[in-house]
């Protein structure tokens, strides 16, 4: 579902909105996971969160590649993955401490807080950025900037009719 929904959502509402809103929805799923009264509801919340992350990640990666200079894309991709790598290394220790010292659901609340802050920061920083595929071309500006008489004409009109003589 995530693989099919990701490009469609990105086209429909834009890359930044799709990424931000799937992250915000992921926070709601995490909160549902934290307050779940039983394993069945917790499982549904966990699967929903996984699906939402699967929708948002490809759209975010596409956005980052679209707005990055082509010569620096590999470096940008590496830096883009750095937070996930760092959090993957640090989170087990932090989660274990929260689990033992605070409460059983504390690691989930902490993850929801970080995910929400990340989504808000991402949306705030990039809401006015557009990747190339989302930029609209103003035809009035393009046509005024290009002299139509300088454009080469095709050898034969596509409909087979004679071409009118330009004056």
């Amino acid at each position: 579902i995530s693989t099919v929904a990701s490009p469609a959502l990105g086209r429909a509402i834009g890359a930044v909105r799709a990424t931000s809103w799937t992250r915000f929805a992921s926070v709601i799923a995490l909160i549902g996971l934290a307050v779940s009264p039983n394993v069945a509801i917790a499982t549904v919340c966990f699967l929903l969160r996984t699906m939402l992350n699967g929708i948002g990640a490809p759209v975010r990666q596409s956005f980052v590649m679209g707005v990055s200079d082509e010569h620096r894309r590999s470096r940008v991709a590496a830096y883009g993955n750095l937070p996930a790598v760092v959090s993957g290394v640090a989170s087990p220790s932090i989660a274990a401490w929260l689990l033992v010292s605070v409460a059983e659901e504390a690691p989930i609340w902490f993850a929801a807080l970080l995910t929400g802050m990340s989504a808000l920061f991402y949306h705030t920083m990039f809401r006015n950025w557009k990747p190339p595929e989302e930029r609209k071309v103003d035809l009035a500006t393009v046509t005024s900037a290009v002299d139509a008489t300088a454009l080469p004409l095709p050898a034969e009109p596509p409909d087979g009719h004679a071409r009118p003589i330009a004056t």
Side-chain angles (χ1 to χ4, degrees), residues 110-163:
F110 186 66
L113 175 69
L114 291 179
T115 303
M117 289 172 41
S118 169
L120 185 60
F121 180 73
Y122 182 86
H123 184 75
T124 302
M125 293 301 296
F126 298 112
R127 69 176 175 249
N128 295 323
W129 288 44
K130 300 280 184 213
E133 63 271 11
E134 290 181 21
R135 295 181 189 143
K136 294 182 181 173
V137 177
D138 181 12
L139 291 179
T141 305
V142 171
T143 54
S144 67
V146 175
D147 181 13
T149 59
L151 296 175
L153 295 173
E156 184 70 31
D159 59 3
H161 293 84
R163 181 179 304 123

Side-chain angles (χ1 to χ4, degrees), residues 6-95:
S6 183
L9 185 63
R11 276 191 307 274
I13 65 174
V16 173
R17 282 192 190 122
T19 302
S20 300
W21 291 113
T22 55
R23 286 184 180 180
F24 287 131
S26 177
V27 170
I28 294 168
L30 272 172
I31 292 170
L33 183 62
V35 299
S36 294
N38 59 46
V39 171
I41 294 173
T43 302
V44 169
C45 290
F46 181 78
L47 292 174
L48 180 62
R49 179 179 184 268
T50 302
M51 183 186 73
L52 290 165
N53 286 342
I55 293 171
V59 176
R60 179 191 60 82
Q61 291 169 347
S62 173
F63 169 76
V64 168
M65 293 299 112
V67 298
S68 300
D69 177 53
E70 66 184 60
H71 301 302
R72 297 186 178 165
R73 287 186 181 152
S74 60
R75 184 179 297 158
V76 169
Y79 290 146
N81 290 330
L82 189 61
V85 172
V86 170
S87 67
V89 169
S91 63
S93 299
I94 294 169

